[in-house]
Amino acid sequence: MTNDRFLRACRREPVDRTPVWFMRQAGRYMAEYQRVRAKHSILDVCKIPDLAAEVTLQPIERFDLDAAIIFADILLPLESMGLQLAFKEEQGPVIFNPVRREDDVTRLRHVEPDAFRFSFDAISMTKKALDGRVPLIGFAGAPFTLASYAIEGGSSRNYLNTKQMMFGRTDQWHALLRKLSDVVVTYLDNQVRAGVDVVQLFDSWVGCLSPADYGEYVLPHVKSVIDRLKPQGIPIIYFGTGTSTLLPLMRSAGSDVLGFDWHVELDEAWARVGFDVAVQGNLDPVVLFAPLPEIERRVKDVLDRAGNRAGHVFNLGHGILPKTPVEHVESAIEFVHRYGTR
Amino acid sequence: MTNDRFLRACRREPVDRTPVWFMRQAGRYMAEYQRVRAKHSILDVCKIPDLAAEVTLQPIERFDLDAAIIFADILLPLESMGLQLAFKEEQGPVIFNPVRREDDVTRLRHVEPDAFRFSFDAISMTKKALDGRVPLIGFAGAPFTLASYAIEGGSSRNYLNTKQMMFGRTDQWHALLRKLSDVVVTYLDNQVRAGVDVVQLFDSWVGCLSPADYGEYVLPHVKSVIDRLKPQGIPIIYFGTGTSTLLPLMRSAGSDVLGFDWHVELDEAWARVGFDVAVQGNLDPVVLFAPLPEIERRVKDVLDRAGNRAGHVFNLGHGILPKTPVEHVESAIEFVHRYGTR
């Protein structure tokens, strides 16, 4: 690997410069991506390995980033289990046959690795094209976040159906999460075999839960996924938003890296989870819309809070927003280089 | 006041039983409310004092609650300032002429108390009908939450326009928040004159901010509102959601009571802000959809965490959801009485 500072930071080894990548770095804010998407749906780009590899590489060709992340969607495992998934322009993901009753859970298919052949092919092609320049990240939705989409049938404000199953039909909930966990493990295990160097579990919406509910209904499943991935020997990142009060529990799930959003101060949150875990974050994605001096000040602040400790990966606190000015992304990366060099 | 335990708890005085009320206790989950709303829009119910008083009293007639809250909407101050406000069935509040540019801020009208005559009349009528049975709560949106609606034109996922003004046109932001703060003070001051016994500031969406941004762009304005209301001598409640990392700063705004949502454990959060402030909360509103034994267990847990300390008001962590089973609301109140009696 020509540039291994991202891998080193994940393992809390010293680096010459804080590594940086951005969630959704391959996305709508880039004209190159828009050109591909003008002709292909999101699901097509995920499933046609040439296209997935192409958009994965776009930000790597354009910016001085320290990691690539394979283009895919956190919900792909749901489709393979028999849920009908589509992406609507404004609304985001929609599932036409959501999981509500017990037989909806029973009906979910166990998935053989072949169901994700397209992902693994995209990974192999991307690895070849990267030629060791930077590591490649694979990912999947974490069990709770997959379950919430599967149950609500899309994004949600209150997670009413999800929590109703959790609180009222607890056996059904755990059966669903076990099934989802198994598929996530199969999917990620085979991403590693196909060549990814790191995996990230996206538990994007887990912040809707109280700590007690997270501990009871979610943590055992995340822990089981991470335990089963560990033998692969690659770093595992676990990320969610709105997780301030969940972080100590999330820490106990056993990932190598914890992702923070901007609701926490990086130094305070890192101290709270312990410096024996690497951390990733945590610039508010909206900051990239601010004037450059303000972006600079805030990038520097995140780096100052990380200090000279080993084990910080610079990132946003959530994905890049669609209308982010591309030159601001470029500048933010430069600021990370400027202030994050030892 | 026949039942003053809510007022006593706000002042951290001993009570015989933990007082309980629910945000949005007058709302769609009640058939009585639906009957009124079948014939009148939300804005009509807010503005026709007879109707506002009627729906305010509905939960008081039906349940054994310790406080009434005047029926109104947190966004009413915006309408009086010249913004065109409507409520759409699924979408919630919409503002047709949002505040984006500097002259949008300049154009916002200063408001004389007479603009809210309907609110004050509704308060007087309600107080008369309550006849001292329980205290009456008045309220308004807090400056940030009003600003976010005014700028976004409705609810928002990322608060992109709001934060762009905040980060990029800071003078304009502060000018807007000063104007909003002045109107909030006028509105609440006159609610007190009309008879409310307590006021609550709803900063519902302030949890989208980092602690540093809250401290710089919001706190001074909330503090100014609270400082100006203090001479009225009535308890002031300050509430937001997703505020776990903001609570110590919110505490410094100086309210008598802090509202917690369910993302924090009540005991831990109370210790963090200090036991010299009263607290309100914090059952997840979705818990009211759970089976009764589960509701009972969780009500008891909140009360156990509050312990025998003076200064806890039982509430949800956000408003009652529209489809909440009304008999579950009734049972939850009974559980508070059962486990919250000294």
Side-chain angles (χ1 to χ4, degrees):
Chain A
M1 199 69 69
T2 317
N3 169 357
D4 68 347
R5 54 173 78 90
F6 169 62
L7 295 177
R8 294 181 60 84
C10 289
R11 298 193 197 102
R12 293 185 302 113
E13 294 165 4
V15 288
D16 59 335
R17 197 176 80 188
T18 301
V20 53
W21 69 280
F22 291 148
M23 289 182 277
R24 287 191 188 270
Q25 64 189 19
R28 274 193 279 173
Y29 75 102
M30 289 185 80
E32 299 90 315
Y33 174 86
Q34 300 247 24
R35 278 196 288 275
V36 174
R37 285 279 283 102
K39 286 179 283 183
H40 304 279
S41 72
I42 291 181
L43 279 175
D44 278 350
V45 182
C46 293
K47 290 181 182 176
I48 302 171
D50 280 321
L51 295 179
E54 181 185 344
V55 300
T56 300
L57 292 165
Q58 285 170 350
I60 304 303
E61 307 300 346
R62 175 144 188 173
F63 308 118
D64 192 2
L65 290 161
D66 297 299
I69 179 162
I70 192 69
F71 187 86
D73 188 85
I74 60 166
L75 301 186
L76 290 177
L78 296 182
E79 199 186 34
S80 66
M81 297 173 83
L83 297 179
Q84 289 150 32
L85 176 67
F87 290 85
K88 306 241 170 170
E89 198 51 46
E90 289 304 309
Q91 210 179 341
V94 176
I95 287 159
F96 297 103
N97 53 344
V99 173
R100 296 282 164 86
R101 300 178 320 170
E102 191 161 2
D103 57 349
D104 295 331
V105 177
T106 319
R107 205 181 297 127
L108 287 174
R109 289 199 292 267
H110 179 71
V111 176
E112 298 299 323
D114 258 2
F116 304 112
R117 178 55 48 208
F118 57 86
S119 278
F120 312 141
D121 289 346
I123 289 165
S124 311
M125 292 178 66
T126 307
K127 279 294 286 185
K128 205 165 183 178
L130 281 172
D131 192 27
R133 276 180 288 169
V134 293
L136 180 63
I137 305 166
F139 69 94
F144 171 83
T145 294
L146 291 177
S148 76
Y149 274 107
I151 296 168
E152 303 294 340
S155 55
S156 173
R157 186 173 273 261
N158 298 308
Y159 301 92
L160 182 54
N161 297 292
T162 306
K163 290 182 180 177
Q164 274 188 278
M165 191 189 292
M166 198 181 254
F167 300 159
R169 286 161 294 159
T170 300
D171 289 352
Q172 188 179 320
W173 169 262
H174 284 298
L176 173 61
L177 261 74
R178 275 193 298 271
K179 275 194 155 182
L180 292 168
S181 299
D182 290 348
V183 174
V184 168
V185 170
T186 299
Y187 185 38
L188 290 177
D189 249 344
N190 284 280
Q191 288 188 38
V192 178
R193 288 203 184 96
V196 300
D197 304 288
V198 172
V199 293
Q200 176 156 328
L201 276 172
F202 281 86
D203 221 347
S204 311
W205 308 132
V206 78
C208 70
L209 298 176
S210 73
D213 289 335
Y214 177 83
E216 182 168 349
Y217 300 108
V218 179
L219 176 59
H221 301 286
V222 181
K223 201 172 173 325
S224 136
V225 169
I226 292 175
D227 284 347
R228 286 183 277 168
L229 293 172
K230 282 259 159 156
Q232 294 275 15
I234 62 159
I236 301 165
I237 307 171
Y238 181 35
F239 164 77
T241 65
T243 58
S244 166
T245 56
L246 308 182
L247 287 173
L249 289 166
M250 290 174 76
R251 167 75 184 100
S252 73
S255 68
D256 303 277
V257 186
L258 270 180
F260 293 160
D261 75 8
W262 64 95
H263 297 101
V264 300
E265 306 288 19
L266 191 133
D267 46 350
E268 175 277 329
W270 201 352
R272 207 146 43 86
V273 295
F275 294 113
D276 56 341
V277 64
V279 298
Q280 177 173 282
N282 73 337
L283 196 71
D284 184 342
V286 179
V287 168
L288 294 181
F289 291 79
L292 289 181
E294 189 63 16
I295 299 177
E296 182 171 2
R297 185 176 76 80
R298 286 160 180 269
V299 167
K300 185 170 181 300
D301 180 64
V302 169
L303 290 165
D304 285 348
R305 289 178 188 274
N308 279 318
R309 269 179 222 101
H312 175 227
V313 175
F314 195 98
N315 207 319
L316 303 177
H318 205 172
I320 293 193
L321 294 166
K323 290 176 185 164
T324 304
V326 71
E327 63 279 15
H328 284 201
V329 175
E330 187 158 26
S331 296
I333 295 166
E334 280 169 23
F335 296 142
V336 178
H337 295 335
R338 185 177 310 165
Y339 297 107
T341 300
R342 302 290 181 275
Chain B
M1 196 73 66
T2 316
N3 169 357
D4 67 346
R5 55 173 78 90
F6 170 61
L7 295 177
R8 294 181 60 85
C10 288
R11 298 194 197 102
R12 294 184 302 114
E13 294 166 4
V15 288
D16 58 336
R17 194 175 84 186
T18 300
V20 53
W21 69 278
F22 291 149
M23 290 181 276
R24 288 190 188 269
Q25 64 190 19
R28 274 192 280 174
Y29 74 102
M30 289 185 79
E32 300 90 316
Y33 174 86
Q34 300 247 23
R35 277 196 287 275
V36 174
R37 285 278 284 104
K39 286 180 283 183
H40 304 278
S41 72
I42 292 181
L43 279 174
D44 278 351
V45 182
C46 293
K47 290 181 182 176
I48 302 172
D50 280 322
L51 296 178
E54 180 183 345
V55 300
T56 299
L57 293 165
Q58 285 170 350
I60 305 302
E61 307 300 345
R62 177 146 188 171
F63 308 117
D64 191 3
L65 290 161
D66 297 299
I69 178 163
I70 191 69
F71 187 85
D73 188 83
I74 60 166
L75 301 186
L76 290 177
L78 296 182
E79 200 187 34
S80 67
M81 297 172 83
L83 297 178
Q84 289 151 32
L85 176 66
F87 291 86
K88 307 241 171 170
E89 198 51 47
E90 288 304 308
Q91 209 179 342
V94 176
I95 287 159
F96 296 102
N97 53 344
V99 173
R100 296 282 165 86
R101 299 177 320 168
E102 192 162 1
D103 56 348
D104 295 330
V105 177
T106 318
R107 205 181 298 126
L108 288 173
R109 287 198 293 267
H110 180 72
V111 176
E112 297 301 322
D114 260 0
F116 303 113
R117 177 56 46 208
F118 57 85
S119 278
F120 311 141
D121 290 346
I123 289 165
S124 312
M125 292 179 65
T126 307
K127 280 294 286 186
K128 204 165 184 178
L130 282 173
D131 193 27
R133 276 179 288 169
V134 292
L136 180 62
I137 305 166
F139 69 95
F144 171 82
T145 293
L146 290 177
S148 77
Y149 276 106
I151 295 169
E152 303 294 341
S155 54
S156 173
R157 186 173 273 261
N158 298 308
Y159 301 91
L160 183 54
N161 297 293
T162 306
K163 290 182 180 177
Q164 274 188 277
M165 190 188 294
M166 198 181 254
F167 300 160
R169 286 160 294 161
T170 301
D171 290 352
Q172 188 180 320
W173 169 262
H174 284 299
L176 173 60
L177 262 76
R178 276 192 298 271
K179 277 194 154 181
L180 292 167
S181 300
D182 290 347
V183 173
V184 167
V185 170
T186 299
Y187 184 38
L188 290 177
D189 250 343
N190 285 281
Q191 288 189 37
V192 178
R193 288 203 183 96
V196 301
D197 304 289
V198 171
V199 293
Q200 176 156 329
L201 276 172
F202 282 86
D203 221 348
S204 311
W205 308 131
V206 77
C208 70
L209 299 177
S210 72
D213 289 336
Y214 177 81
E216 182 167 350
Y217 300 109
V218 179
L219 176 59
H221 301 285
V222 180
K223 201 173 172 325
S224 136
V225 168
I226 292 175
D227 284 347
R228 285 183 277 169
L229 293 173
K230 281 258 156 156
Q232 295 275 15
I234 62 159
I236 301 166
I237 306 171
Y238 182 36
F239 165 77
T241 66
T243 58
S244 166
T245 56
L246 308 182
L247 287 173
L249 289 166
M250 290 174 75
R251 166 75 184 101
S252 74
S255 67
D256 304 277
V257 186
L258 271 180
F260 292 160
D261 74 10
W262 65 95
H263 297 102
V264 299
E265 307 288 19
L266 191 132
D267 45 350
E268 175 278 328
W270 201 351
R272 208 146 42 86
V273 296
F275 294 113
D276 56 342
V277 65
V279 299
Q280 177 173 282
N282 72 340
L283 197 71
D284 185 343
V286 179
V287 168
L288 295 181
F289 291 80
L292 289 181
E294 189 62 17
I295 299 177
E296 181 172 3
R297 186 177 75 81
R298 286 159 181 269
V299 166
K300 184 169 182 302
D301 180 64
V302 169
L303 290 165
D304 285 347
R305 288 177 188 274
N308 279 318
R309 268 178 223 101
H312 175 227
V313 175
F314 195 98
N315 207 318
L316 304 177
H318 205 172
I320 293 194
L321 293 166
K323 290 176 186 163
T324 304
V326 71
E327 64 279 15
H328 285 202
V329 176
E330 187 158 25
S331 296
I333 294 167
E334 280 169 23
F335 297 141
V336 178
H337 294 336
R338 185 177 311 163
Y339 297 106
T341 300
R342 302 290 181 274

